[in-house]
């Protein structure tokens, strides 16, 4: 009989609820109350239930190693909903080390990913179960749920990338995704 042990994997991606399970998975929730200034219609946001979940983020960083060469993986689920006419979305960020790249892949639902370069030009791609998105160096990234079911997507990025949210708070994205009687529109 073989002496070589067979281990269980570090992580499991649950296909039924799109959740990562594993010992050191970190899970956090962003609620309406935590997203001040993110949506264009701040009065509508203030009038909503502040505890309403907008998106959940799960991340796993192997052995807490943020040295160059390490990778992190995560899963984000954006619930369906709107603030005013603007669809629920992530805050969006540039990496603190802005030359770090990332992959996103769609797992469930429908939406759009916004990829904005240093000049403020936005590339918009459709996101759906099976779609794969390359986030190039120096590109801020945000995902918008334009559908009526949760939009879930996976992500894999260099562990030393970090997050720069301040730049988005100051400058915002040049493209927003609003609902209209003809469906989602970019403004
Ligand atoms: C990390 C990666 C994702 C996002 C997550 C939430 O580099 O891009 O894990 O952190 O989708 O988005 P945000 O913009 O609120 O961090
Ligand atoms: Zn990122």
């Amino acid at each position: 009989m073989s002496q070589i042990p067979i281990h269980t994997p570090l992580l499991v991606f649950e296909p039924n609820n799109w959740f990562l399970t594993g010992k050191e998975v970190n899970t956090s929730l962003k609620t309406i109350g935590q997203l001040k200034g993110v949506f264009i219609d701040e009065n509508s946001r203030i009038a909503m239930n502040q505890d309403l979940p907008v998106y959940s983020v799960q991340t796993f960083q192997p052995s807490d190693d943020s040295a160059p060469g390490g990778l992190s993986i995560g899963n984000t689920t954006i619930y369906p909903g709107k603030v005013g006419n603007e669809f629920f979305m992530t805050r969006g960020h540039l990496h603190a080390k802005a030359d770090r790249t990332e992959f996103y892949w769609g797992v469930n639902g429908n939406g759009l990913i916004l990829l904005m370069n240093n000049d403020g030009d936005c590339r918009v791609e459709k996101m759906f179960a099976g779609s794969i998105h390359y986030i190039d160096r120096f590109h801020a990234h945000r995902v918008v749920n334009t559908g009526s079911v949760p939009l879930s997507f996976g992500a894999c990025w260099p562990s030393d990338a970090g997050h720069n949210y301040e730049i988005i708070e100051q400058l915002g994205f040049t493209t927003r995704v609003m609902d209209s009687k003809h469906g989602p529109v970019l403004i």
Side-chain angles (χ1 to χ4, degrees):
M1 203 159 125
S2 167
Q3 297 299 307
I4 301 171
I6 298 176
H7 298 278
T8 50
L10 286 173
L11 288 178
V12 172
F13 181 72
E14 303 283 351
N16 298 325
N17 60 9
W18 326 296
F19 252 63
L20 287 177
T21 54
K23 230 173 41 185
E24 289 160 48
V25 174
N26 181 278
T27 301
S28 64
L29 192 65
K30 282 276 176 281
T31 61
I32 280 290
Q34 294 170 318
L35 295 173
K36 184 177 174 202
V38 170
F39 297 92
I40 202 165
D41 186 348
E42 186 61 5
N43 288 338
S44 290
R45 188 193 67 84
I46 290 167
M48 293 170 76
N49 173 0
Q50 299 297 290
D51 296 327
L52 187 70
V54 178
Y55 62 97
S56 75
V57 184
Q58 295 189 287
T59 57
F60 176 77
Q61 185 175 305
S63 62
D64 216 19
D65 178 6
S66 55
L71 287 175
S72 292
I73 193 163
N75 187 66
T76 301
T77 298
I78 310 173
Y79 301 103
K82 287 181 277 187
V83 175
N85 288 325
E86 192 170 16
F87 292 105
F88 279 7
M89 60 187 178
T90 58
R91 287 166 76 190
H93 61 271
L94 188 67
H95 292 147
K97 287 189 167 68
D99 63 351
R100 298 306 194 255
T101 58
E102 183 165 10
F103 270 115
Y104 278 5
W105 57 94
V107 172
N108 185 74
N110 285 283
L112 298 170
I113 178 171
L114 312 181
L115 303 161
M116 186 173 74
N117 69 16
N118 282 338
D119 296 329
D121 299 327
C122 259
R123 174 182 167 84
V124 183
E125 295 178 359
K126 279 185 190 173
M127 186 180 268
F128 50 88
S131 65
I132 295 180
H133 310 272
Y134 182 60
I135 299 161
D136 207 348
R137 296 170 176 80
F138 308 108
H139 278 69
H141 36 293
R142 163 179 280 169
V143 175
V144 185
N145 183 354
T146 57
S148 54
V149 299
L151 170 65
S152 191
F153 62 93
C156 184
W157 65 97
S159 297
D160 67 348
H163 297 82
N164 179 348
Y165 293 105
E166 291 72 29
I167 193 158
I168 303 303
E169 279 164 19
Q170 287 160 16
L171 304 175
F173 274 73
T174 51
T175 300
R176 287 182 178 272
V177 187
M178 313 296 288
D179 199 9
S180 75
K181 58 184 175 194
H182 306 297
V185 286
L186 304 177
I187 61 164

